[in-house]
Amino acid sequence: MSRYEGVLARTLQNILVVTDGFLSEHAPDGTLIKRIEIPVIGPDPYRSRARDLVVGPEGRVYVVNGPENLLLSEYFNGTWQHHRVEGWTIVNHPSHGCITRFKDSLFMVGSQTSARATNGSKDELLRFDTRRRAEPWQRWPRKFHTVTVGLDGLLYAMHQSTVQVFDPETMALLRSFRLPFNSGGIAVNARGEVFSIHGDGYIRHVNSEGGLLDQLQVGGQPKDIDISPSGQIVVGTWAGQVFVTDESLQGATSFARGVQPNWVAFGSLPAE
């Protein structure tokens, strides 16, 4: 593992990783702390493979479980609960299946099954209220492949290189901008600056209008990214590597977590 002062000088958070049907917690240097299996829901383990994750209220961990029959799987107190999203799927490709959190709400992108598709569109942005779980998911018919809540408290939703910014309370569109390149995922700091990941192995830092500020090549075909309030950045890849850097993009540490695509987030598993 490589090391550099920019990362080691910070107060680092632990890292959660979902890969190959398991959820694991790691110290920032990659040391495995805990590993638990994510239940397979459905007859085909590959098509039911878990995707992205987010830490919700009370430290509950939510995992997008699909894609054939979209589930939101919740881990807390050593047990799993599953919230089915009837009539919804995820595009059966590892680049889809993201989730993000604003206060008590979870946002994700789903695709309607053919029988439910309306107005010529199958893709919708979905919101799940963790306080009122019995209520239907709220829906917005917009085509995105990834969403994230920035550290500035706004909701960023992206399709190809176009980013739209919403007020997550009212879902009012505030602004939009384009990134210099198509991106597989984004994270946003408290100033509204974007850190984007790209298939050429780069993490790119752009301003709130999409202008390139800096970049760092980490390799490994990045596929997921998260940022912590202290400015720590974690990136998951298509081939099992996890990279850790910070907003300065002056270097990165890395550790391996299997050989399958992985999804990453900052946080810890709840105590049992």
Side-chain angles (χ1 to χ4, degrees):
M1 173 180 292
S2 62
R3 295 178 179 270
Y4 74 103
E5 291 299 323
V7 165
L8 294 179
R10 293 182 177 273
T11 301
L12 303 183
Q13 295 186 21
N14 284 353
I15 297 165
L16 298 176
V17 180
V18 168
T19 187
D20 201 23
F22 286 87
L23 168 62
S24 56
E25 179 183 352
H26 299 259
D29 65 358
T31 301
L32 178 64
I33 297 173
K34 188 176 181 180
R35 180 174 182 258
I36 58 175
E37 188 171 7
I38 301 169
V40 172
I41 309 298
D44 186 336
Y46 178 78
R47 291 183 64 82
S48 300
R49 188 166 292 171
R51 303 294 180 89
D52 199 10
L53 73 159
V54 68
V55 178
E58 301 179 315
R60 299 171 185 266
V61 178
Y62 293 88
V63 177
V64 178
N65 212 348
E68 191 167 60
N69 295 295
L70 180 54
L71 289 172
L72 185 62
S73 295
E74 173 187 348
Y75 182 74
F76 190 62
N77 286 338
T79 61
W80 288 95
Q81 296 184 51
H82 306 284
H83 311 280
R84 187 174 298 278
V85 191
E86 296 291 347
W88 295 87
T89 66
I90 306 170
V91 174
N92 191 26
H93 190 277
S95 64
H96 292 257
C98 63
I99 188 170
T100 190
R101 171 196 172 193
F102 176 75
K103 296 182 179 178
D104 293 311
S105 294
L106 306 179
F107 292 88
M108 58 191 296
V109 177
S111 295
Q112 297 184 55
T113 58
S114 297
R116 291 191 54 140
T118 57
N119 300 323
S121 175
K122 294 178 64 176
D123 299 310
E124 295 198 1
L125 181 62
L126 307 174
R127 177 160 62 184
F128 176 71
D129 191 330
T130 60
R131 298 166 302 173
R132 295 185 285 271
R133 303 173 180 217
E135 294 186 4
W137 289 56
Q138 293 179 282
R139 302 155 47 192
W140 291 271
R142 298 175 182 268
K143 187 175 181 61
F144 301 120
H145 73 268
T146 188
V147 292
T148 189
V149 171
L151 297 178
D152 57 359
L154 301 178
L155 178 67
Y156 290 74
M158 182 175 64
H159 177 61
Q160 296 179 345
S161 63
T162 299
V163 180
Q164 293 184 303
V165 187
F166 298 88
D167 180 331
E169 298 273 15
T170 65
M171 291 306 295
L173 177 62
L174 304 178
R175 60 188 176 90
S176 62
F177 59 92
R178 293 180 66 89
L179 298 177
F181 311 92
N182 285 353
S183 171
I186 57 175
V188 182
N189 67 15
R191 297 183 297 278
E193 298 169 347
V194 175
F195 294 85
S196 59
I197 52 174
H198 305 268
D200 59 3
Y202 277 87
I203 306 170
R204 292 186 168 93
H205 179 194
V206 305
N207 62 26
S208 59
E209 297 179 349
L212 182 64
L213 299 174
D214 201 358
Q215 60 186 2
L216 171 68
Q217 186 175 27
V218 294
Q221 287 190 292
K223 71 167 307 301
D224 191 27
I225 185 169
D226 194 20
I227 188 170
S228 74
S230 66
Q232 186 184 3
I233 293 172
V234 62
V235 170
T237 67
W238 286 89
Q241 283 183 292
V242 177
F243 293 96
V244 182
T245 182
D246 64 14
E247 292 188 33
S248 70
L249 297 185
Q250 295 302 300
T253 69
S254 67
F255 63 91
R257 185 68 195 97
V259 296
Q260 298 294 327
N262 56 41
W263 289 261
V264 293
F266 287 107
S268 301
L269 291 175
E272 297 185 9

